[in-house]
Amino acid sequence: KEEVSQYDRQIRVWGADGQKKLGSSRVLLVGSGALGGEVGKNLVLGGIGTVHVADCTQAPVAESTGGHFFLRDDDQVEVRAAAVAKHLQELNALVKVRSWNGVAIRETRA
């Protein structure tokens, strides 16, 4: 099973039941700046079931790329939450990552 191989180290630490509970958890991450991106990365790689990234920042992404691992120059047309959610989703297809920019929730698909 893909989950067992993906989360093998974690399952050894807290068992399959612990990983199953993480997989059914939902987290709201408020803020997708540099710190929010790092927290999101840890949640997604850890196997949290669903991560909602909320950020109402409407500033062009190009202004925010300095020091932010999950923002790239080619993300210029997106609001920050959507760009960060898209790159977080690329880290782990087993986790659902959604973005919210104050208007609508968007689901990203791998």
Coordinates of all heavy atoms in Angstrom, one line a residue:
K1 N 0.8 -1.2 0.0 CA 0.0 0.0 0.0 C 0.9 1.2 0.0 O 1.9 1.3 0.7 CB -0.9 0.0 1.2 CG -2.0 0.9 1.2 CD -3.0 0.7 2.3 CE -4.0 1.8 2.4 NZ -4.9 1.6 3.5
E2 N 0.5 2.2 -0.8 CA 1.3 3.5 -0.9 C 1.5 4.2 0.4 O 2.6 4.7 0.7 CB 0.7 4.4 -2.0 CG 1.5 5.6 -2.3 CD 0.9 6.5 -3.4 OE1 -0.2 6.1 -3.9 OE2 1.5 7.5 -3.6
E3 N 0.5 4.3 1.2 CA 0.6 5.0 2.5 C 1.6 4.4 3.4 O 2.4 5.1 4.1 CB -0.8 5.0 3.2 CG -1.7 6.0 2.6 CD -3.0 6.2 3.4 OE1 -2.9 6.2 4.6 OE2 -4.0 6.3 2.8
V4 N 1.7 3.1 3.4 CA 2.6 2.4 4.3 C 4.1 2.7 3.9 O 4.9 3.0 4.8 CB 2.4 0.8 4.3 CG1 3.5 0.1 5.1 CG2 1.0 0.5 4.9
S5 N 4.4 2.7 2.6 CA 5.7 3.0 2.2 C 6.0 4.5 2.3 O 7.1 4.9 2.7 CB 5.9 2.6 0.7 OG 5.1 3.3 -0.1
Q6 N 5.0 5.3 2.1 CA 5.2 6.8 2.2 C 5.5 7.2 3.7 O 6.4 8.0 3.9 CB 4.0 7.5 1.8 CG 4.0 9.0 1.9 CD 4.4 9.8 0.7 OE1 4.4 9.2 -0.4 NE2 4.7 11.0 0.8
Y7 N 4.8 6.6 4.6 CA 4.9 7.0 6.0 C 5.5 6.0 6.9 O 5.3 5.9 8.1 CB 3.5 7.3 6.6 CG 2.8 8.4 5.7 CD1 1.5 8.1 5.2 CD2 3.3 9.6 5.5 CE1 0.8 9.0 4.4 CE2 2.6 10.6 4.8 CZ 1.4 10.2 4.2 OH 0.7 11.2 3.5
D8 N 6.4 5.1 6.3 CA 7.0 4.0 7.1 C 7.7 4.5 8.4 O 7.5 3.9 9.4 CB 8.0 3.3 6.2 CG 8.7 2.1 6.9 OD1 7.9 1.3 7.3 OD2 9.9 2.1 7.0
R9 N 8.5 5.5 8.3 CA 9.2 6.0 9.5 C 8.3 6.4 10.6 O 8.5 6.1 11.8 CB 10.2 7.1 9.2 CG 11.3 6.7 8.4 CD 12.2 7.8 8.1 NE 13.3 7.4 7.2 CZ 14.2 8.3 6.8 NH1 14.2 9.5 7.1 NH2 15.2 7.8 6.0
Q10 N 7.2 7.1 10.2 CA 6.3 7.6 11.2 C 5.5 6.5 11.8 O 5.2 6.5 13.0 CB 5.3 8.6 10.5 CG 6.0 9.9 10.1 CD 5.2 10.7 9.2 OE1 5.8 11.4 8.4 NE2 3.9 10.7 9.3
I11 N 5.1 5.5 11.0 CA 4.4 4.3 11.5 C 5.2 3.6 12.5 O 4.7 3.1 13.5 CB 3.9 3.4 10.3 CG1 2.8 4.2 9.5 CG2 3.4 2.1 10.8 CD1 2.5 3.5 8.2
R12 N 6.5 3.5 12.3 CA 7.4 2.9 13.3 C 7.4 3.6 14.6 O 7.5 3.0 15.7 CB 8.8 2.8 12.8 CG 9.0 1.8 11.7 CD 10.4 1.7 11.3 NE 10.6 1.6 9.9 CZ 11.7 1.5 9.3 NH1 12.9 1.6 10.0 NH2 11.8 1.4 8.0
V13 N 7.2 4.9 14.6 CA 7.2 5.7 15.9 C 5.9 5.6 16.6 O 5.9 5.3 17.8 CB 7.6 7.2 15.6 CG1 7.5 8.0 16.8 CG2 9.0 7.2 15.0
W14 N 4.8 6.0 15.9 CA 3.5 6.0 16.6 C 2.5 5.0 16.2 O 1.3 5.0 16.6 CB 2.9 7.4 16.6 CG 2.8 8.1 15.3 CD1 2.1 7.8 14.2 CD2 3.6 9.3 15.0 NE1 2.3 8.7 13.2 CE2 3.3 9.6 13.7 CE3 4.5 10.0 15.7 CZ2 3.8 10.7 13.0 CZ3 5.1 11.1 15.0 CH2 4.7 11.4 13.7
G15 N 2.9 4.1 15.3 CA 2.0 3.0 14.9 C 1.0 3.4 13.8 O 0.8 4.5 13.5
A16 N 0.4 2.3 13.2 CA -0.5 2.5 12.1 C -1.7 3.3 12.5 O -2.3 4.1 11.8 CB -0.9 1.2 11.5
D17 N -2.2 3.1 13.8 CA -3.4 3.8 14.3 C -3.1 5.3 14.4 O -4.0 6.1 14.0 CB -3.8 3.2 15.6 CG -5.2 3.8 16.0 OD1 -6.1 3.7 15.2 OD2 -5.3 4.2 17.2
G18 N -1.9 5.6 14.9 CA -1.6 7.1 15.0 C -1.5 7.7 13.6 O -2.0 8.9 13.4
Q19 N -0.9 7.0 12.6 CA -0.9 7.6 11.3 C -2.3 7.7 10.7 O -2.6 8.7 10.0 CB 0.0 6.8 10.4 CG 0.3 7.4 9.1 CD 1.1 8.7 9.2 OE1 2.0 8.9 10.0 NE2 0.7 9.7 8.4
K20 N -3.1 6.8 11.0 CA -4.5 6.8 10.5 C -5.2 8.0 11.0 O -6.0 8.7 10.3 CB -5.2 5.5 10.8 CG -6.6 5.4 10.3 CD -7.2 4.1 10.6 CE -8.7 4.0 10.0 NZ -9.3 2.7 10.3
K21 N -5.0 8.3 12.3 CA -5.6 9.5 12.9 C -5.1 10.8 12.3 O -5.9 11.7 12.0 CB -5.4 9.5 14.4 CG -6.1 8.5 15.2 CD -5.8 8.5 16.6 CE -6.6 7.4 17.4 NZ -6.3 7.4 18.8
L22 N -3.8 10.8 12.0 CA -3.3 12.0 11.3 C -3.9 12.2 9.9 O -4.2 13.3 9.5 CB -1.7 11.9 11.1 CG -0.8 12.3 12.3 CD1 0.6 12.0 11.9 CD2 -1.0 13.7 12.6
G23 N -4.1 11.0 9.2 CA -4.6 11.1 7.9 C -6.1 11.5 7.8 O -6.6 11.9 6.8
S24 N -6.8 11.4 9.0 CA -8.2 11.8 9.0 C -8.3 13.2 9.6 O -9.4 13.7 9.8 CB -9.0 10.8 9.8 OG -8.6 10.8 11.1
S25 N -7.2 13.9 9.9 CA -7.2 15.2 10.5 C -7.3 16.3 9.5 O -6.9 16.1 8.3 CB -6.0 15.4 11.3 OG -5.8 14.5 12.4
R26 N -7.9 17.4 9.9 CA -8.0 18.6 9.0 C -7.3 19.8 9.8 O -7.6 19.9 11.0 CB -9.4 18.9 8.7 CG -10.1 17.9 7.8 CD -11.5 18.2 7.6 NE -12.2 18.1 8.9 CZ -13.5 18.4 9.1 NH1 -14.2 18.8 8.1 NH2 -14.0 18.3 10.2
V27 N -6.5 20.6 9.1 CA -5.8 21.7 9.7 C -6.1 22.9 8.9 O -6.0 22.9 7.6 CB -4.3 21.4 9.8 CG1 -3.5 22.6 10.3 CG2 -4.0 20.2 10.7
L28 N -6.3 24.0 9.6 CA -6.4 25.3 8.9 C -5.2 26.1 9.2 O -4.8 26.4 10.3 CB -7.6 26.1 9.5 CG -7.8 27.6 9.0 CD1 -7.9 27.7 7.5 CD2 -8.9 28.3 9.7
L29 N -4.4 26.4 8.1 CA -3.2 27.1 8.3 C -3.5 28.6 7.9 O -3.7 28.9 6.7 CB -2.1 26.5 7.3 CG -0.7 27.2 7.3 CD1 -0.1 27.2 8.6 CD2 0.1 26.5 6.2
V30 N -3.4 29.5 8.8 CA -3.7 30.9 8.6 C -2.4 31.6 8.3 O -1.6 31.7 9.2 CB -4.5 31.5 9.8 CG1 -4.8 33.0 9.5 CG2 -5.8 30.8 10.0
G31 N -2.3 32.1 7.1 CA -1.1 32.8 6.7 C -0.2 31.9 5.9 O 0.1 30.8 6.3
S32 N 0.2 32.4 4.7 CA 1.0 31.6 3.8 C 2.3 32.3 3.5 O 2.9 32.2 2.4 CB 0.3 31.2 2.5 OG -0.1 32.3 1.8
G33 N 2.8 33.0 4.5 CA 4.1 33.7 4.3 C 5.2 32.6 4.4 O 5.0 31.4 4.4
A34 N 6.4 33.1 4.7 CA 7.6 32.1 4.8 C 7.4 31.1 5.9 O 7.6 29.9 5.7 CB 8.9 32.9 5.0
L35 N 6.9 31.6 7.1 CA 6.7 30.7 8.2 C 5.5 29.8 7.9 O 5.6 28.5 8.2 CB 6.4 31.5 9.5 CG 6.1 30.6 10.7 CD1 7.3 29.7 11.1 CD2 5.8 31.6 11.9
G36 N 4.4 30.3 7.4 CA 3.3 29.4 7.0 C 3.6 28.4 6.0 O 3.2 27.3 6.1
G37 N 4.5 28.7 5.1 CA 5.0 27.7 4.1 C 5.7 26.6 4.7 O 5.5 25.4 4.4
E38 N 6.6 26.9 5.7 CA 7.3 25.9 6.4 C 6.4 25.0 7.2 O 6.6 23.8 7.3 CB 8.4 26.5 7.2 CG 9.6 27.0 6.5 CD 10.3 25.8 5.7 OE1 10.6 24.8 6.4 OE2 10.6 26.0 4.5
V39 N 5.5 25.6 7.9 CA 4.5 24.8 8.7 C 3.7 23.9 7.8 O 3.5 22.7 8.1 CB 3.7 25.7 9.6 CG1 2.5 25.0 10.3 CG2 4.5 26.5 10.6
G40 N 3.3 24.5 6.7 CA 2.5 23.7 5.7 C 3.3 22.5 5.2 O 2.7 21.4 5.1
K41 N 4.5 22.8 4.9 CA 5.4 21.7 4.4 C 5.4 20.5 5.4 O 5.3 19.4 5.1 CB 6.8 22.2 4.2 CG 7.8 21.1 3.8 CD 9.2 21.6 3.9 CE 9.5 21.8 5.4 NZ 10.9 21.6 5.9
N42 N 5.6 20.8 6.7 CA 5.7 19.8 7.7 C 4.4 19.1 7.9 O 4.4 17.8 8.1 CB 6.1 20.4 9.1 CG 7.6 20.9 9.0 OD1 8.4 20.4 8.3 ND2 7.9 21.9 9.8
L43 N 3.3 19.8 7.8 CA 1.9 19.1 7.9 C 1.7 18.2 6.7 O 1.3 17.1 6.8 CB 0.8 20.2 7.9 CG 0.8 21.1 9.2 CD1 -0.2 22.2 8.9 CD2 0.4 20.2 10.4
V44 N 2.0 18.7 5.5 CA 1.8 17.9 4.3 C 2.7 16.6 4.2 O 2.3 15.5 4.0 CB 2.0 18.7 3.0 CG1 2.1 17.9 1.8 CG2 0.9 19.8 2.9
L45 N 4.0 16.8 4.6 CA 4.9 15.7 4.6 C 4.6 14.7 5.7 O 4.8 13.5 5.5 CB 6.3 16.1 4.7 CG 6.9 16.9 3.5 CD1 8.3 17.4 3.7 CD2 6.8 16.0 2.2
G46 N 4.0 15.2 6.8 CA 3.6 14.3 7.9 C 2.3 13.5 7.6 O 2.1 12.5 8.3
G47 N 1.6 13.9 6.6 CA 0.4 13.1 6.2 C -0.9 13.5 6.8 O -1.8 12.7 6.9
I48 N -1.0 14.8 7.2 CA -2.3 15.3 7.7 C -3.3 15.1 6.5 O -3.0 15.3 5.4 CB -2.2 16.8 8.0 CG1 -1.3 17.0 9.2 CG2 -3.6 17.4 8.3 CD1 -1.8 16.4 10.5
G49 N -4.5 14.7 6.8 CA -5.5 14.4 5.8 C -5.8 15.6 4.9 O -5.8 15.5 3.6
T50 N -6.2 16.8 5.4 CA -6.5 17.9 4.6 C -5.9 19.2 5.3 O -6.0 19.4 6.5 CB -8.0 18.1 4.6 OG1 -8.6 17.0 4.1 CG2 -8.4 19.3 3.7
V51 N -5.2 20.0 4.5 CA -4.7 21.3 4.9 C -5.3 22.4 4.1 O -5.3 22.4 2.9 CB -3.1 21.3 4.7 CG1 -2.6 22.7 5.1 CG2 -2.4 20.2 5.4
H52 N -6.0 23.3 4.9 CA -6.6 24.5 4.3 C -5.6 25.6 4.5 O -5.2 25.9 5.6 CB -7.9 24.8 4.9 CG -8.9 23.8 4.8 ND1 -9.8 23.7 3.7 CD2 -9.2 22.7 5.5 CE1 -10.6 22.7 3.8 NE2 -10.3 22.0 4.9
V53 N -5.1 26.3 3.4 CA -4.2 27.4 3.5 C -5.1 28.7 3.3 O -5.7 28.9 2.2 CB -3.1 27.3 2.4 CG1 -2.2 28.5 2.5 CG2 -2.4 26.0 2.5
A54 N -5.1 29.5 4.3 CA -5.9 30.7 4.2 C -5.0 31.9 4.3 O -4.1 32.1 5.1 CB -6.9 30.8 5.4
D55 N -5.2 32.8 3.3 CA -4.4 34.0 3.2 C -5.1 35.0 2.3 O -5.4 34.7 1.2 CB -3.0 33.8 2.7 CG -2.0 34.9 2.9 OD1 -2.5 36.1 3.1 OD2 -0.8 34.6 3.0
C56 N -5.5 36.2 2.9 CA -6.2 37.2 2.1 C -5.3 38.1 1.4 O -5.7 39.1 0.9 CB -7.1 37.9 3.1 SG -8.4 36.9 3.8
T57 N -4.0 37.9 1.4 CA -3.0 38.8 0.8 C -3.3 38.8 -0.7 O -3.2 37.8 -1.4 CB -1.6 38.3 1.0 OG1 -1.4 38.3 2.4 CG2 -0.6 39.3 0.4
Q58 N -3.6 39.9 -1.3 CA -3.9 40.1 -2.7 C -2.7 40.7 -3.4 O -2.7 41.0 -4.6 CB -5.1 41.0 -2.9 CG -6.4 40.4 -2.3 CD -6.8 39.1 -3.0 OE1 -6.6 39.0 -4.2 NE2 -7.3 38.2 -2.2
A59 N -1.6 41.0 -2.7 CA -0.4 41.5 -3.3 C 0.2 40.6 -4.4 O 0.0 39.4 -4.2 CB 0.7 41.8 -2.3
P60 N 0.7 41.1 -5.4 CA 1.3 40.2 -6.4 C 2.4 39.3 -5.8 O 3.1 39.7 -5.0 CB 2.0 41.2 -7.4 CG 1.3 42.5 -7.2 CD 0.9 42.5 -5.8
V61 N 2.3 38.1 -6.2 CA 3.2 37.1 -5.7 C 4.7 37.4 -5.9 O 5.6 37.2 -5.0 CB 2.9 35.7 -6.3 CG1 3.9 34.6 -5.8 CG2 1.5 35.2 -5.8
A62 N 5.0 38.1 -7.0 CA 6.4 38.5 -7.3 C 7.0 39.3 -6.2 O 8.2 39.3 -5.9 CB 6.5 39.2 -8.6
E63 N 6.2 40.1 -5.5 CA 6.7 40.9 -4.4 C 7.0 40.1 -3.1 O 7.7 40.5 -2.2 CB 5.7 41.9 -4.0 CG 5.4 43.0 -5.1 CD 4.3 43.9 -4.7 OE1 3.9 43.9 -3.5 OE2 3.9 44.7 -5.6
S64 N 6.5 38.8 -3.1 CA 6.7 38.0 -1.9 C 7.7 36.9 -2.0 O 7.8 36.1 -1.1 CB 5.3 37.4 -1.6 OG 4.3 38.4 -1.5
T65 N 8.3 36.7 -3.2 CA 9.2 35.5 -3.4 C 10.5 35.5 -2.6 O 11.0 34.5 -2.4 CB 9.5 35.4 -4.9 OG1 10.1 36.5 -5.4 CG2 8.2 35.1 -5.7
G66 N 11.0 36.7 -2.2 CA 12.2 36.7 -1.5 C 12.1 35.9 -0.2 O 11.3 36.2 0.7
G67 N 13.0 34.9 0.0 CA 13.0 34.2 1.3 C 11.8 33.2 1.4 O 11.7 32.7 2.5
H68 N 11.1 33.0 0.4 CA 9.9 32.1 0.5 C 10.1 30.9 -0.4 O 10.1 31.0 -1.6 CB 8.6 32.8 0.2 CG 7.4 32.1 0.6 ND1 7.1 30.8 0.3 CD2 6.4 32.5 1.4 CE1 5.9 30.5 0.9 NE2 5.5 31.5 1.6
F69 N 10.3 29.7 0.2 CA 10.6 28.5 -0.6 C 9.5 28.1 -1.5 O 9.7 27.5 -2.5 CB 10.9 27.4 0.4 CG 11.4 26.1 -0.2 CD1 12.6 26.0 -0.8 CD2 10.5 25.0 -0.3 CE1 13.1 24.8 -1.4 CE2 10.9 23.8 -0.9 CZ 12.2 23.8 -1.5
F70 N 8.2 28.4 -1.2 CA 7.1 27.9 -2.0 C 6.5 28.9 -2.9 O 5.5 28.7 -3.5 CB 6.0 27.3 -1.0 CG 6.4 26.1 -0.3 CD1 6.8 26.1 1.0 CD2 6.5 24.9 -1.0 CE1 7.2 25.0 1.6 CE2 6.9 23.7 -0.4 CZ 7.3 23.8 0.9
L71 N 7.2 30.0 -3.1 CA 6.8 31.0 -4.1 C 7.9 31.1 -5.2 O 9.0 31.2 -4.8 CB 6.5 32.3 -3.5 CG 5.3 32.4 -2.5 CD1 5.2 33.8 -1.9 CD2 4.0 32.0 -3.2
R72 N 7.4 31.1 -6.4 CA 8.4 31.2 -7.5 C 8.0 32.3 -8.4 O 6.8 32.7 -8.4 CB 8.4 29.9 -8.3 CG 8.8 28.7 -7.4 CD 8.7 27.4 -8.1 NE 8.9 26.3 -7.1 CZ 8.2 25.2 -7.1 NH1 7.3 25.0 -7.9 NH2 8.5 24.3 -6.1
D73 N 8.9 32.8 -9.2 CA 8.6 33.9 -10.1 C 7.5 33.6 -11.1 O 6.7 34.4 -11.5 CB 9.8 34.3 -10.9 CG 10.9 35.0 -10.0 OD1 10.5 35.5 -9.0 OD2 12.1 34.9 -10.4
D74 N 7.3 32.3 -11.5 CA 6.2 32.0 -12.4 C 4.9 31.9 -11.8 O 3.9 31.6 -12.4 CB 6.5 30.7 -13.2 CG 6.7 29.5 -12.3 OD1 6.9 29.7 -11.0 OD2 6.7 28.3 -12.8
D75 N 4.8 32.2 -10.5 CA 3.5 32.2 -9.8 C 2.9 33.6 -9.8 O 1.9 33.9 -9.1 CB 3.7 31.8 -8.3 CG 4.1 30.4 -8.1 OD1 3.7 29.5 -9.0 OD2 4.9 30.1 -7.2
Q76 N 3.4 34.5 -10.6 CA 3.0 35.9 -10.5 C 1.5 36.2 -10.7 O 0.9 37.1 -10.2 CB 3.7 36.7 -11.6 CG 5.2 36.8 -11.3 CD 5.9 37.5 -12.4 OE1 5.3 38.4 -13.0 NE2 7.2 37.3 -12.5
V77 N 0.8 35.3 -11.4 CA -0.7 35.6 -11.6 C -1.6 35.1 -10.5 O -2.8 35.3 -10.6 CB -1.1 34.9 -13.0 CG1 -0.3 35.5 -14.1 CG2 -0.9 33.4 -13.0
E78 N -1.1 34.4 -9.5 CA -1.9 33.8 -8.5 C -1.8 34.6 -7.2 O -0.8 35.3 -6.9 CB -1.5 32.4 -8.2 CG -1.6 31.5 -9.4 CD -1.2 30.1 -9.1 OE1 -1.8 29.5 -8.1 OE2 -0.4 29.5 -9.8
V79 N -2.8 34.5 -6.4 CA -2.7 35.1 -5.0 C -1.8 34.1 -4.2 O -1.7 33.0 -4.6 CB -4.1 35.2 -4.4 CG1 -4.9 36.3 -5.1 CG2 -4.8 33.9 -4.3
R80 N -1.3 34.6 -3.1 CA -0.3 33.9 -2.4 C -0.8 32.5 -1.9 O -0.1 31.5 -2.0 CB 0.3 34.7 -1.3 CG 1.5 34.1 -0.6 CD 2.2 35.0 0.2 NE 1.5 35.6 1.3 CZ 1.9 36.5 2.2 NH1 3.1 37.0 2.0 NH2 1.2 36.9 3.2
A81 N -2.0 32.5 -1.3 CA -2.5 31.2 -0.8 C -2.6 30.1 -1.8 O -2.3 29.0 -1.6 CB -3.8 31.4 -0.1
A82 N -3.1 30.5 -3.0 CA -3.2 29.5 -4.1 C -1.9 29.0 -4.6 O -1.7 27.8 -4.8 CB -4.0 30.1 -5.3
A83 N -0.9 29.9 -4.7 CA 0.4 29.5 -5.2 C 1.1 28.6 -4.2 O 1.6 27.5 -4.5 CB 1.3 30.7 -5.4
V84 N 1.0 28.9 -2.9 CA 1.6 28.1 -1.8 C 0.9 26.7 -1.8 O 1.5 25.7 -1.7 CB 1.6 28.8 -0.5 CG1 2.0 27.9 0.7 CG2 2.5 30.0 -0.5
A85 N -0.4 26.7 -1.8 CA -1.2 25.5 -1.8 C -0.8 24.6 -3.0 O -0.7 23.4 -2.8 CB -2.7 25.7 -1.8
K86 N -0.6 25.1 -4.1 CA -0.3 24.4 -5.3 C 1.1 23.7 -5.1 O 1.2 22.5 -5.4 CB -0.2 25.3 -6.5 CG 0.2 24.5 -7.8 CD 0.2 25.5 -9.0 CE 1.5 26.3 -8.9 NZ 1.6 27.2 -10.1
H87 N 2.0 24.4 -4.6 CA 3.4 23.8 -4.4 C 3.4 22.8 -3.2 O 4.1 21.8 -3.2 CB 4.4 24.9 -4.2 CG 4.6 25.7 -5.4 ND1 4.9 25.2 -6.7 CD2 4.4 27.0 -5.6 CE1 4.9 26.1 -7.6 NE2 4.6 27.3 -7.0
L88 N 2.6 23.1 -2.2 CA 2.5 22.1 -1.1 C 1.9 20.8 -1.6 O 2.3 19.7 -1.2 CB 1.6 22.7 0.1 CG 2.3 23.8 0.9 CD1 1.2 24.3 1.9 CD2 3.5 23.3 1.6
Q89 N 0.9 20.9 -2.4 CA 0.2 19.7 -3.0 C 1.2 18.8 -3.7 O 1.1 17.6 -3.7 CB -0.9 20.1 -3.9 CG -1.7 18.9 -4.4 CD -2.5 18.1 -3.3 OE1 -3.5 18.6 -2.8 NE2 -2.0 17.0 -2.9
E90 N 2.2 19.5 -4.4 CA 3.2 18.7 -5.2 C 4.0 17.8 -4.3 O 4.6 16.9 -4.7 CB 4.1 19.7 -5.9 CG 3.3 20.4 -7.1 CD 4.1 21.6 -7.6 OE1 5.3 21.8 -7.2 OE2 3.7 22.2 -8.6
L91 N 4.1 18.2 -3.0 CA 5.0 17.4 -2.0 C 4.4 16.1 -1.7 O 5.1 15.1 -1.4 CB 5.2 18.2 -0.8 CG 6.0 19.5 -0.9 CD1 6.1 20.2 0.4 CD2 7.4 19.2 -1.4
N92 N 3.0 16.0 -1.7 CA 2.4 14.8 -1.2 C 1.0 14.6 -1.8 O 0.1 15.3 -1.4 CB 2.3 14.8 0.3 CG 1.9 13.4 0.9 OD1 1.4 12.6 0.2 ND2 2.0 13.3 2.2
A93 N 0.8 13.7 -2.7 CA -0.4 13.5 -3.4 C -1.5 12.9 -2.5 O -2.7 12.9 -2.8 CB -0.2 12.7 -4.7
L94 N -1.1 12.3 -1.4 CA -2.0 11.6 -0.5 C -2.7 12.6 0.4 O -3.7 12.2 1.1 CB -1.3 10.6 0.4 CG -0.6 9.5 -0.4 CD1 0.2 8.6 0.5 CD2 -1.6 8.7 -1.2
V95 N -2.3 13.9 0.4 CA -2.9 14.9 1.3 C -3.7 15.9 0.4 O -3.3 16.2 -0.7 CB -1.8 15.7 2.0 CG1 -2.4 16.9 2.8 CG2 -1.1 14.8 3.0
K96 N -4.9 16.3 0.9 CA -5.7 17.3 0.2 C -5.2 18.6 0.6 O -5.2 18.9 1.8 CB -7.2 17.1 0.5 CG -7.8 15.8 -0.1 CD -9.2 15.7 0.3 CE -9.7 14.3 0.1 NZ -11.1 14.1 0.6
V97 N -4.9 19.5 -0.3 CA -4.5 20.9 0.0 C -5.5 21.8 -0.7 O -5.7 21.7 -1.9 CB -3.1 21.2 -0.4 CG1 -2.7 22.6 0.0 CG2 -2.1 20.2 0.2
R98 N -6.1 22.7 0.1 CA -7.0 23.7 -0.4 C -6.5 25.1 0.0 O -5.9 25.3 1.0 CB -8.4 23.4 0.1 CG -8.9 22.1 -0.3 CD -10.3 21.9 0.2 NE -10.8 20.6 -0.3 CZ -11.6 19.8 0.4 NH1 -12.0 20.1 1.6 NH2 -12.0 18.7 -0.2
S99 N -6.9 26.0 -0.9 CA -6.5 27.4 -0.6 C -7.8 28.3 -0.4 O -8.8 28.0 -1.0 CB -5.6 28.0 -1.7 OG -6.4 28.1 -2.9
W100 N -7.6 29.3 0.4 CA -8.7 30.2 0.7 C -8.1 31.6 0.7 O -7.2 31.9 1.5 CB -9.4 29.9 2.0 CG -10.6 30.8 2.3 CD1 -11.8 30.7 1.7 CD2 -10.7 31.8 3.2 NE1 -12.6 31.6 2.2 CE2 -12.0 32.3 3.2 CE3 -9.8 32.4 4.1 CZ2 -12.4 33.4 4.0 CZ3 -10.2 33.4 4.9 CH2 -11.5 33.9 4.8
N101 N -8.7 32.5 -0.1 CA -8.1 33.9 -0.2 C -9.1 34.9 0.3 O -9.0 36.1 0.0 CB -7.7 34.2 -1.6 CG -8.8 34.3 -2.6 OD1 -10.0 34.1 -2.2 ND2 -8.5 34.5 -3.9
G102 N -10.1 34.5 1.0 CA -11.1 35.4 1.6 C -12.4 35.4 0.7 O -13.4 36.0 1.2
V103 N -12.3 34.8 -0.4 CA -13.5 34.9 -1.3 C -14.1 33.4 -1.5 O -15.2 33.2 -1.3 CB -13.1 35.5 -2.7 CG1 -14.3 35.5 -3.6 CG2 -12.6 36.9 -2.5
A104 N -13.2 32.5 -1.9 CA -13.7 31.2 -2.2 C -12.6 30.1 -1.8 O -11.4 30.4 -1.8 CB -14.0 31.0 -3.6
I105 N -13.1 29.0 -1.4 CA -12.1 27.9 -1.2 C -11.9 27.2 -2.5 O -12.8 26.8 -3.2 CB -12.7 26.9 -0.2 CG1 -12.7 27.6 1.2 CG2 -11.8 25.6 -0.1 CD1 -13.3 26.7 2.3
R106 N -10.6 26.9 -2.8 CA -10.2 26.2 -4.0 C -9.5 25.0 -3.7 O -8.6 24.9 -2.9 CB -9.3 27.1 -4.9 CG -9.9 28.4 -5.4 CD -8.9 29.1 -6.2 NE -9.2 30.5 -6.0 CZ -8.3 31.4 -6.2 NH1 -7.1 31.2 -6.5 NH2 -8.6 32.7 -5.9
E107 N -9.9 23.9 -4.4 CA -9.2 22.6 -4.1 C -8.2 22.4 -5.2 O -8.4 22.6 -6.4 CB -10.3 21.5 -4.2 CG -9.7 20.1 -3.9 CD -10.7 19.1 -3.8 OE1 -11.9 19.4 -3.5 OE2 -10.3 17.9 -3.9
T108 N -7.0 22.1 -4.8 CA -5.9 21.8 -5.8 C -5.9 20.3 -6.0 O -6.1 19.5 -5.1 CB -4.6 22.3 -5.3 OG1 -4.3 21.8 -4.0 CG2 -4.5 23.8 -5.1
R109 N -5.6 20.0 -7.2 CA -5.5 18.5 -7.5 C -4.1 18.2 -8.0 O -3.5 19.0 -8.8 CB -6.5 18.2 -8.6 CG -7.9 18.5 -8.1 CD -8.9 18.0 -9.1 NE -10.2 18.5 -8.8 CZ -11.1 17.9 -8.1 NH1 -10.8 16.7 -7.6 NH2 -12.3 18.4 -7.9
A110 N -3.6 17.1 -7.6 CA -2.3 16.6 -8.0 C -2.3 16.2 -9.5 O -3.2 15.8 -10.1 CB -1.8 15.5 -7.1

